[in-house]
Amino acid sequence: MISPTNASRHSRAPARLPQAEVPAPRTATPFTPPAGARSISCVIPCFNEAANLRHLLPLLEDILWATHMHWEIIVVDDGSTDDTAAVAEAWCELSGFRCISLSRNFGKEAALTAGLAAATGDAVVLLDGDLQHSPQLIHTMVAQWVAGAEVVYAVREERSDESRFKQLGSRLFYSLVNSSDRFAVPKDAGDFRLMDRKVVDALMSLPERSRFMKGLYAWVGFRAVALPYTPAPRAEGSSTFNARRLVRLAIDGLTAFTTWPLRMVSVVGLLLALPAFGYGAFVAIDHLLYGNTISGWTTIVVSLMFFIGIQMISTGIVGEYIARIYEEVKGRPLYVVREEHGTGIETGKP
């Protein structure tokens, strides 16, 4: 759903928003994109971001008008329990806005996929709804795209606002997931990025349901340009992305794009088996040659517990991969849309 070529800039704010939260009236007439001009879609996955959307949407609208392109803003409500959907739906009274409400909380990866499936622009920008991804960087992203880049992704310049534990975990994760030399997931790069239409089409052609988007961005390739940035503090509220969800996301990434845990199981098994066989041979020879009594109740129990522990860990690693296979075989949809708001408008392109 793209803004029309012959529409003037919005001169009113959505009527259903409380008056104190209505953005300032638009009085200037913007540049009207010519027929055949490029188009851009902005996808915003949201979970309980109503307060932030009230600030973000009018700001983002101004920025997109300044690009002199046809544009659309797609808000994906990922099963929010606040009035995120109501705020987004109110903006859908205006052209260029669309709200997709999922039937429950499916997670950010699913919400991003829903937004990408709905986007129709020649370029698609992904950004969070908490204003930590500065909308002003869209101008720089568009400039890089016009210059020939097919992907422009934002990279955090520093992580001083994070705990030492989280920083160490992040470094360990990227070193493990990038152990393959086929492609590399850029360190400290998130979902804030601009992608050309061909990149979006490539992502949407991937059939997998256990989607680790950071890995998929890197896997499809294309000409990519890094854009350093420093995230701003959240405008309102607090993040719901806790340590448990970070660990789950890391496991998803490792099992989706690496097989080294399976190979590690084989290597560990070999490293443990060789000394065990060597020690068994030594005990047998020592008894046959010197008649020493074979003792070691404690040794047997400790060794048995150790090897059982290794076996259970190994079974758990294999089980993680089997669980991914199980999810894929079931073939359930990645998300379910409860309702959509906003009307698609032709761009006038030939």
Side-chain angles (χ1 to χ4, degrees):
M1 183 204 41
I2 308 293
S3 60
T5 57
N6 59 353
S8 61
R9 193 168 189 167
H10 300 148
S11 58
R12 63 179 179 86
R16 288 184 290 163
L17 287 179
Q19 188 62 33
E21 296 165 347
V22 169
R26 314 294 195 233
T27 56
T29 300
F31 171 84
T32 301
R38 288 183 171 184
S39 57
I40 184 170
S41 302
C42 285
V43 174
I44 310 172
C46 293
F47 179 70
N48 293 342
E49 298 288 2
N52 290 317
L53 281 181
R54 294 185 175 99
H55 300 289
L56 174 61
L57 292 180
L59 176 61
L60 188 57
E61 183 191 19
D62 286 335
I63 290 172
L64 292 179
W65 275 119
T67 63
H68 295 171
M69 294 190 295
H70 307 288
W71 56 266
E72 66 179 348
I73 298 174
I74 302 174
V75 177
V76 182
D77 173 33
D78 188 22
S80 299
T81 56
D82 65 356
D83 57 344
T84 294
V87 173
E89 289 168 13
W91 279 91
C92 291
E93 296 177 3
L94 307 178
S95 62
F97 290 87
R98 186 175 179 185
C99 175
I100 301 174
S101 296
L102 304 185
S103 61
R104 64 170 176 82
N105 179 248
F106 286 88
K108 187 178 181 181
E109 312 297 290
L112 286 170
T113 303
L116 290 174
T120 59
D122 297 320
V124 178
V125 174
L126 304 178
L127 72 162
D128 290 346
D130 55 11
L131 288 170
Q132 289 193 289
H133 296 163
S134 174
Q136 284 82 2
L137 288 177
I138 291 177
H139 291 301
T140 305
M141 290 180 170
V142 169
Q144 294 281 4
W145 174 53
V146 172
E150 294 165 319
V151 178
V152 184
Y153 61 93
V155 179
R156 294 183 60 140
E157 291 186 291
E158 48 85 23
R159 310 182 72 101
S160 59
D161 59 325
E162 297 180 347
S163 65
R164 185 67 175 172
F165 175 78
K166 188 174 181 179
Q167 294 180 37
L168 291 174
S170 177
R171 284 199 291 267
L172 176 62
F173 168 76
Y174 283 107
S175 63
L176 293 177
V177 80
N178 289 330
S179 58
S180 171
D181 57 0
R182 293 176 298 171
F183 68 96
V185 178
K187 183 181 178 182
D188 297 331
D191 297 307
F192 187 24
R193 61 187 59 226
L194 178 148
M195 296 180 290
D196 187 83
R197 168 50 53 185
K198 62 172 70 75
V199 181
V200 176
D201 291 341
L203 286 172
M204 297 310 299
S205 69
L206 301 177
E208 58 206 75
R209 291 170 177 80
S210 299
R211 300 177 77 85
F212 177 64
M213 296 302 292
K214 290 182 182 180
L216 295 180
Y217 300 143
W219 187 89
V220 297
F222 295 98
R223 292 192 298 272
V225 174
L227 180 63
Y229 87 113
T230 300
R234 286 180 60 91
E236 303 284 348
S238 58
S239 175
T240 59
F241 214 72
N242 52 32
R244 180 176 60 85
R245 294 181 66 182
L246 283 173
V247 171
R248 182 189 302 173
L249 184 64
I251 293 175
D252 288 342
L254 290 174
T255 54
F257 288 94
T258 65
T259 57
W260 66 261
L262 295 174
R263 294 172 181 168
M264 180 186 68
V265 169
S266 300
V267 172
V268 170
L270 181 62
L271 292 177
L272 291 175
L274 290 177
F277 281 122
Y279 179 70
F282 167 77
V283 170
I285 294 173
D286 185 60
H287 175 71
L288 293 174
L289 295 181
Y290 305 105
N292 292 331
T293 303
I294 301 177
S295 61
W297 168 257
T298 303
T299 303
I300 293 175
V301 172
V302 172
S303 299
L304 191 60
M305 293 178 63
F306 175 73
F307 283 109
I308 289 176
I310 293 296
Q311 287 179 335
M312 293 182 68
I313 294 174
S314 303
T315 303
I317 293 174
V318 175
E320 285 291 333
Y321 284 89
I322 295 176
R324 270 44 180 192
I325 298 172
Y326 177 60
E327 290 295 326
E328 296 294 327
V329 169
K330 284 189 295 186
R332 292 175 183 169
L334 187 61
Y335 56 88
V336 177
V337 176
R338 179 171 58 86
E339 58 182 359
E340 298 185 39
H341 294 269
T343 305
I345 301 176
E346 295 296 330
T347 65
K349 292 193 292 185

